[in-house]
Amino acid sequence: MSAPVHPGLRVRTSDGVELYVAEYGSGPLTVVLLHGWTLDHRLWRKQTADLAARFGRRARILAVDLRGHGRSGSSELSDTNLFRLADDVHAVLTQCAPDGPVVLVGHSLGGMAMLEFAHRYPAEFQRQVTGVALVSTTAEGHTHTSYGLAPWLGRFVREVETRGAALLALGGPLRVHKAVMPALLPAVRWLVFGDRVEVEALRLTIAMIGSASLRSIGGFRPSVGRMNRLDALSLLATVPVRVLVGNRDRLTPVKCTEAIVAALPHARLQVFDSCGHMLPLECPDAVTDALAELISEAAPKGRKSGRTRS
């Protein structure tokens, strides 16, 4: 794993939360990686190393810890939602990449935050974003989340999970669950991974979840459930788009891609066999290849878009 260029950039958000951003490489194109719910920038450790090596001085990679995750600060419960995450993405671009072209890559919650950003900041999105990757995510909240169970049972589990998340949110910035995460390893393995998983990837996932605050684990859940940003997909119509999903994903199953691909017929859909929700860890080389292809297509010299810049 390559070391970041800096110990860590710090971005202050509009409500005063400090975000941690790991920076790799340098170049005229900035690639922003947004991780999933309860995870952090380490999700992308294979991609940051390989992309920095492949592109050298042609691309700069920024891996963000979303608020309440990893090394970033926590916010009040009222600000633990997708609206704030959209503002945070705006803050990262404004402070770290104010001028050049940007490729946005979002996994799960990160993909939802990206679409919320497009909805809330359409002018900025159209001005800067030249490519998008939606990894194990959805534009329709938990509409299709059934945990791989029968529909009626999935709806029941979803209700129990949502109510349980509200209780966890009361834990605020505490991370007391870190001590019990090893005991939950079998449940985590079943929920977010596919047929095969390396022990190292599973341990990293446990460590990332343990680093997320209880407020973030519980607080984001209602916003994720209600999320519907099908309208924002129209803003992606003139840029290269990659949609990646595992056919064993129990949280954002393949069905989540149907509305996305229907709205964006030019998007390239890749379904990974036997993989679950953690594609960057389960099939890291294939994800890196897909992102490298997108970056090459989205780079200014390689893009052939008739899109008008504001």
Side-chain angles (χ1 to χ4, degrees), residues 118-271:
H119 172 78
R120 289 171 65 82
Y121 297 93
E124 289 84 348
F125 184 94
Q126 292 187 301
R127 178 175 63 85
Q128 278 195 277
V129 178
T130 61
V132 164
L134 296 166
V135 183
S136 306
T137 192
T138 180
E140 302 172 273
H142 65 201
T143 301
H144 302 297
T145 301
S146 62
Y147 314 97
L149 305 171
W152 69 269
L153 183 56
R155 287 192 295 270
F156 173 76
V157 173
R158 196 166 68 199
E159 180 65 22
V160 171
E161 180 214 339
T162 302
R163 291 178 181 273
L167 294 176
L168 286 178
L170 300 178
L174 298 177
R175 292 170 167 83
V176 294
H177 61 292
K178 188 172 186 177
V180 301
M181 285 309 303
L184 299 178
L185 190 148
V188 172
R189 190 255 179 272
W190 173 82
L191 182 62
V192 300
F193 286 96
D195 295 347
R196 297 178 300 275
V197 57
E198 294 183 0
V199 173
E200 184 183 4
L202 186 53
R203 287 176 176 166
L204 175 60
T205 301
I206 292 294
M208 289 190 288
I209 297 172
S211 296
S213 70
L214 290 175
R215 180 179 293 151
S216 296
I217 294 175
F220 280 111
R221 185 62 182 86
S223 183
V224 166
R226 294 190 301 265
M227 181 259 196
N228 188 317
R229 279 292 165 249
L230 292 173
D231 60 315
L233 293 173
S234 63
L235 294 165
L236 283 61
T238 58
V239 300
V241 177
R242 297 294 185 277
V243 181
L244 313 182
V245 66
N247 70 347
R248 295 288 189 271
D249 194 328
R250 293 181 172 89
L251 297 180
T252 54
V254 174
K255 191 170 183 61
C256 292
T257 68
E258 293 177 359
I260 296 173
V261 174
L264 301 170
H266 73 294
R268 187 170 301 176
L269 171 65
Q270 291 180 255
V271 180

Side-chain angles (χ1 to χ4, degrees), residues 11-15 19 67 79 81-95 113 116-117 120-121:
V11 171
R12 186 163 293 277
T13 67
S14 57
D15 63 338
L19 303 179
R67 61 173 58 213
D79 290 321
N81 53 57
L82 285 169
F83 310 120
R84 273 297 183 187
L85 290 186
D87 293 345
D88 293 352
V89 173
H90 181 255
V92 169
L93 297 189
T94 299
Q95 296 176 43
E116 190 65 36
F117 165 71
R120 289 171 65 82
Y121 297 93

Side-chain angles (χ1 to χ4, degrees), residues 34 66 82 85-86 89 108-118 227:
L34 305 169
L66 301 176
L82 285 169
L85 290 186
V89 173
S108 193
L109 178 68
M112 299 180 200
M114 179 203 308
L115 293 177
E116 190 65 36
F117 165 71
M227 181 259 196

